[in-house]
Amino acid sequence: MTRERVKKWLWVSFWVAIAFQIYFVRELFAAELLFGLLFVVLLSIGSVLYLIGQAGEMSLNWAKPLARSLAHTARRGLEQVEEFSRKSYRHLRSESAR
C-alpha cells in the first residue's frame, strides 16, 4: 500500500469511529430521556395514589366521630322502639273485640 492510501484509510477509519461515537452518544441521550420520562410517569402515578390514600385516611378520621354519634343516636332510637313495643296498644279498661 502506498503512503497516500494508508493516510486515506486512516482518515476514513477516524471519521467512521467519530460517527459511531456520535451515534452512540445520541442513542445514550435518547435512552436517558426515555428512562427519565418513564421515571416521571411512574413518580406521578405513585404520587397520585399516595394522595388518594392520604385523602381516604383523612376522610375516615373525619367520619369516625360522626359515625359514633350516629350509632349512639340509632341505639337510643332502637331502645325507644323496643320500649314502645312492650307497651300495650289497648287501654286497660277497654273490652277486647269478640
Side-chain angles (χ1 to χ4, degrees):
M1 282 192 166
T2 64
R3 188 174 176 101
E4 288 298 319
R5 229 171 155 193
V6 169
K7 192 175 182 181
K8 176 185 164 189
W9 281 108
L10 187 63
W11 279 108
V12 167
S13 40
F14 173 73
W15 287 113
V16 167
I18 288 179
F20 276 127
Q21 289 298 320
I22 291 173
Y23 174 76
F24 183 67
V25 169
R26 270 196 233 159
E27 289 294 316
L28 282 177
F29 283 147
E32 186 178 349
L33 180 65
L34 289 175
F35 283 125
L37 289 175
L38 180 67
F39 178 74
V40 167
V41 167
L42 291 177
L43 181 69
S44 299
I45 290 171
S47 298
V48 167
L49 291 176
Y50 175 75
L51 290 175
I52 289 172
Q54 289 297 315
E57 283 185 29
M58 287 177 58
S59 64
L60 285 177
N61 290 337
W62 172 78
K64 199 179 291 184
L66 297 175
R68 283 187 182 143
S69 67
L70 182 64
H72 180 67
T73 305
R75 212 173 291 123
R76 264 191 310 148
L78 182 61
E79 289 171 1
Q80 288 175 353
V81 167
E82 286 176 352
E83 183 182 331
F84 182 73
S85 68
R86 286 188 201 126
K87 291 183 180 180
S88 175
Y89 293 115
R90 294 180 286 125
H91 293 290
L92 293 176
R93 295 184 186 152
S94 68
E95 294 182 23
S96 59
R98 294 184 190 180

